[in-house]
Amino acid sequence: MNASTKPVRIGVDIGGTFTDLQIFDARDGRIVAYKLPTTPEDPSIALVEGIKTAGRRYGFTLSDVGYLMHGTTIATNAVLERKLPAGALVTTAGFEDVLEIGRHYRREVYSIHPQPVPALIPRNRRFGFHERMRFDGTAERVPTEADIDAVITQLAAVDIETVAVALLHAYANSDHEQRLADRIRKALPRLDISLSSVISPEIREYERTSTTVLNALLQPVVRAYIDRLDVRMRTEAFAPHLLIVQSNGGVCTPATAAAEPARLLLSGPSGGAMAALELARQFDEPNLVAVDMGGTSFDVSVVRDNRLEIVTLSEIDRLPVRLPMIEIRTIGAGGGSIARVNAARQMTVGPESAGARPGPVCYSRGGTEPTVTDANLALGRLDAATFLGGAMALDRDAARAAILARAGDPLGFDTDAAAAGILRLTNTNLAAAIRVSLFEKGLDPRDFTMLSFGGAGSVHACAVADELGIRRIIFPVDASTFSARGVLMADIEHAFGRSGVQRFDGSAVAWVHSCFESLKAEGAARLEADGIAPNDRQFELSADLRYRGQAFELSVPWGEIPLDESGIGEIGLRFHAQHAQRFSYASPEDAIELVTLRLAAIGRMARPQISAQQPSHTDSPTAGRRSVYVNGQWQDVTTWRRAAIRDSLEIVGPAIVEEDYTAVYVAPGWSLTRGRDGHLVAVNNEELA
């Protein structure tokens, strides 16, 4: 039985605190969710154990699983925590210091001691290679065998696991990189090798070099994880078709992930963004701001006019990454974010997180510093007895004691006021991240509906929306594991790009057409290797354009526009309009330059046919009442079980709606009803009045 005929498909999103599963079973059309703490020492432990436990709970076996779609933060965490192997960089002689020179701009304009740009490879492991390729792809200096031997001797003399090769203008002609790589593989087969002409064949040597170095340093990390996961699955006789989620929202094979791990840097958050896009179309909500608050981070993505923005240059910890990624803004704000009082008697929340271990104080795993989860529990917004569906009892007294000792006493507040301050500061930070994500695009938050998901997000959503003037919030089914829903629905996707700076007019038609055909052939070959049938292949073209003289580009989707002179004119008009939207001006009289042509080669996966979820039919859908701290005082608040909410019921705040893995806090002035397919919709009645 092959993967496509097995009934169960699983999407998994492994975060820094929890591992989230969404499981589709074609035998009854249901999607169910399961959540368990992440095992930081080896995330594959929680993944496999979670699937086994979910199988016992929901009635499937490991042999029933056809596809395992895997989102992971392993690449991101390795970079942020600097848990990277020793590596070397080989570049054109004279360009060994590109990583440290960077772009000569200062982020900390007023700092007396600005932090230097981090260089992941020290100077003594950056080697110059005597070669030179011109910008047009012609060779100015062809390397000799002696030149190659000299580099190999230098690499052999240092204790490294991986090497990045980023030669000048290799995007125009990769011959020198390929020739050097072939010799290194023969002489030093133990080394992983990453070539700039493979991972990022584009102009701008700093960004291309940075991306290649990140890819090289992540190769041993990601390969080791995939190998551990493979061994663990073999031990359990678990043999699904494994696919890994990339930063562009598509999935790839483990072999591709191991060779090009830099494409995984936004693997986890991209699942949530893709799920948000699906729900936006389902709800006919073309403008959604999707917010995912988990245990460690808060991720913001924007669906505008039924599409997600794909950026071609992003950063991780100030390190440029020139690869297509869904545009996601991330801050260190989650349920595990630690609240502290500094020497100036100022409270801060995050970005440090208690993680899965020890976790918040209330987890009783050795944590001593209060977190956002501790504050929500202390103020009654979480139920200590039903957390994780009752699988983890929380210690409310310990949480309150830690808040008083670490935040209340230093500031002269009682426990309630200190906990409320933690939440108020957290909500302000969350609202600021959303505001920046929209304002930088010239967008008004009041024109958007908020989609709130993640285990920690729904208790904060109303307060954050109030601060932004957002009047409508959607809380999706299984909100705590919603990112795994996007993973579950992902398609295979490969991204290709080719730089060719030139005037964007009729003179570019021949190059654009030739480049498209070349990239399409490359994409078709990759999809063929993935086993994707020709009828399930789709190719999406886009162009990175700029006004002549600019140092940045905008990516304009090509869509169904023909690849001829009239089509280039239409794309130019779209560029002007997009430029005006993003930067409040356009210059239609100025010449446009084409910088890079991009192609996404997509292999459409069969979509699960999901049965609509029906509410439970009970005479009394309320779960009870609980004392909750609301607007500076304790109130007796009604609590509801989400599964029991019927279509006709309207819940008026303040109220709590609980489910196994999260809770929704309906603030005063808000009301909540059951919407399409079981998703909950909250509306600010005060704003609408």
Side-chain angles (χ1 to χ4, degrees), residues 19 38 91 120 211 214 314 321 431 433 438 485 514 540 625 627 681:
T19 294
T38 293
T91 188
L120 297 182
T211 304
L214 279 168
S314 187
V321 184
L438 294 174
R485 172 72 65 100
S514 173
E540 296 181 353
R625 300 186 70 82
S627 187
V681 180

Side-chain angles (χ1 to χ4, degrees), residues 331-408:
I331 63 170
S337 293
I338 295 171
R340 293 185 174 128
V341 177
N342 61 26
R345 300 185 73 246
Q346 295 174 321
M347 182 187 290
T348 61
V349 180
E352 296 83 8
S353 173
R357 296 181 182 172
V361 175
C362 61
Y363 284 12
S364 301
R365 291 181 171 178
T368 59
E369 297 185 282
T371 67
V372 175
T373 293
D374 291 312
N376 277 307
L377 178 66
L379 298 183
R381 299 186 184 189
L382 299 177
D383 184 5
T386 61
F387 190 74
L388 284 189
M392 179 188 290
L394 302 182
D395 189 337
R396 185 167 181 263
D397 291 339
R400 289 182 61 85
I403 290 169
L404 180 62
R406 296 297 185 101

Side-chain angles (χ1 to χ4, degrees), residues 637-638 640 649-656 666-673 685:
V637 168
T638 304
W640 308 77
L649 181 65
E650 180 182 23
I651 297 174
V652 178
I656 302 285
V666 186
W670 288 78
S671 63
L672 182 141
T673 56
N685 297 307

Side-chain angles (χ1 to χ4, degrees), residues 51 101 177 271 300 369 442 452 667:
I51 292 173
I101 294 171
E177 282 197 352
V300 183
E369 297 185 282
S452 176

Side-chain angles (χ1 to χ4, degrees), residues 9-13 20-22 47 65-72 240-245 250-252 484 486-492 605-606:
R9 179 186 295 194
I10 298 177
V12 56
D13 175 27
D20 301 339
L21 307 176
Q22 287 223 345
L47 187 156
V65 182
Y67 285 100
L68 176 60
M69 324 285 275
H70 183 357
T72 176
H241 186 60
L242 176 65
L243 293 169
I244 311 294
V245 182
V251 293
C252 65
V487 172
L488 190 69
M489 302 294 181
D491 292 315
I492 290 176
M605 303 281 287

Side-chain angles (χ1 to χ4, degrees), residues 323-340:
L323 292 170
M325 298 181 176
I326 296 174
E327 186 173 27
I328 298 173
R329 182 176 300 277
T330 300
I331 63 170
S337 293
I338 295 171
R340 293 185 174 128

Side-chain angles (χ1 to χ4, degrees), residues 591-614:
I592 302 174
E593 279 187 335
L594 169 64
V595 177
T596 301
L597 205 64
R598 300 186 184 279
L599 184 80
I602 301 168
R604 296 298 182 193
M605 303 281 287
R607 288 298 173 106
Q609 300 301 308
I610 303 167
S611 301
Q613 294 196 17
Q614 300 297 325

